[in-house]
Structures are given as structure tokens and as C-alpha cells.
Amino acid sequence: MAIQRTLSIIKPDAVAKNVIGQIIARFEGAGLKVVAGRLVHLSAAEAGQFYAVHKERPFFKDLVEFMISGPVFVQVLEGEDAIAKNRDLMGATDPKKAEPGTIRADFAESIDANAVHGSDAPETAAVEIAFFFPGMNVYSR
Ligand code: UDP
């Protein structure tokens, strides 16, 4: 399996709960490395652009409002099979359906305030990483 990079976002609910470190520890414990990271408070325009794929969905407006309700921690994770590994660690979108021991099962309250985002494919990972880390800010470790 190839070394990949993926974009992870620790969403406003988890940042407000002060569990950034606990969530990063899950990634590191699974062998993923943080190769870029920063705290950012998104504007509505930025959140709408990031989630543009969902703009026709009924939850879009609430999703944007939630994503701008406080700062988020954006990071690039690198490692073997990083995209699928991150998604496994996150658990299902709806925390009620997430496997015990996953980030969403342990830290998320609801399907909208669900603690983390993770890229779902190599193409989206590339676009999402460039969205937050344009240029040469990402280093291999
Ligand atoms: N979402 C929501 N209500 C829904 C479905 C999704 O609020 O019924 C939000 C939720 O925050 C989710 C995001 O929209 O994480 C993106 O949805 P997607 O289906 O891509 O889920 P993910 O890839 O984040 O698991």
C-alpha cells in the first residue's frame, strides 16, 4: 500500500471541547504523521467553497453555519493508506452508527456536529490539501 496524504479537520465542536490533542493521538497511535497543521476560523464563503459538493443538499446551510461557529484545526496526515486509515479512525458520519472506539463514537454529539472531517479519495485529498495548504507548506517526515 502506498504512502498517501489526506486532509483532516478537527471541527468546531471538538476544538471547543479541547480534545485536539486526544484526536491527534489517535492518528499518531495508528501510525499517521501530522505533516502540516494550523488553527483557522473559516468565513462563510470559505466553508461554502470547501463543502461546495454538498451545496444542493438540505443540510448545506446548517453545515456552513456549524463550520464557522468557531475555529477548526486543519491538518495534513501522511502515512501508509492514510485516506482509508483516517476514515476508519473517524467512524461513520452519524456518531450513533459509528463503531465503538472511533473518534466520532467517542467525541461527536450528532450527525452535524461530528468532530472530524477526512478526505474520501486521492482526488479530493489533493484538492482539499491545496485549499488549506497552498504552496510549499507541507513537508514529508
Ligand atoms: N452532514 C449533515 N447532515 C447529514 C449528512 C451530512 O450535517 O445528513 C454533514 C456532516 O457534518 C458531514 C458532512 O455534512 O460530516 C459531509 O457529509 P459526508 O456525507 O461527506 O460525510 P463524511 O465524509 O464527513 O463522513
Side-chain angles (χ1 to χ4, degrees):
M1 202 41 89
I3 299 292
Q4 293 178 326
R5 286 177 177 170
T6 190
L7 184 87
S8 163
I9 303 178
I10 301 178
K11 294 185 178 181
D13 56 324
V15 172
K17 280 187 189 163
N18 204 24
V19 293
I20 293 174
Q22 290 185 60
I23 291 175
I24 290 177
R26 304 281 178 106
F27 299 138
E28 292 183 336
L32 296 175
K33 294 177 179 177
V34 178
V35 294
R38 68 191 168 95
L39 199 68
V40 53
H41 199 147
L42 295 170
S43 68
E46 287 168 334
Q49 191 187 338
F50 183 80
Y51 275 122
V53 67
H54 292 309
K55 69 174 181 296
E56 305 303 334
R57 308 280 288 275
F59 58 82
F60 179 72
K61 190 166 169 286
D62 289 345
L63 174 60
V64 169
E65 297 225 330
F66 167 65
M67 290 299 289
I68 67 172
S69 65
V72 297
F73 190 80
V74 296
Q75 60 191 322
V76 178
L77 303 175
E78 183 179 86
E80 189 103 334
D81 204 14
I83 295 168
K85 198 176 270 184
N86 180 38
R87 301 279 304 182
D88 286 349
L89 292 166
M90 289 164 55
T93 308
D94 183 351
K96 291 185 202 73
K97 297 181 184 152
E99 289 286 318
T102 60
I103 293 167
R104 283 169 166 164
D106 290 347
F107 298 111
E109 301 305 327
S110 64
I111 192 166
D112 19 56
N114 63 0
V116 280
H117 165 85
S119 309
D120 61 4
E123 298 73 26
T124 45
V127 170
E128 292 177 0
I129 290 169
F131 184 87
F132 285 110
F133 299 97
M136 299 303 291
N137 298 335
V138 178
Y139 301 93
S140 271
R141 286 173 50 194

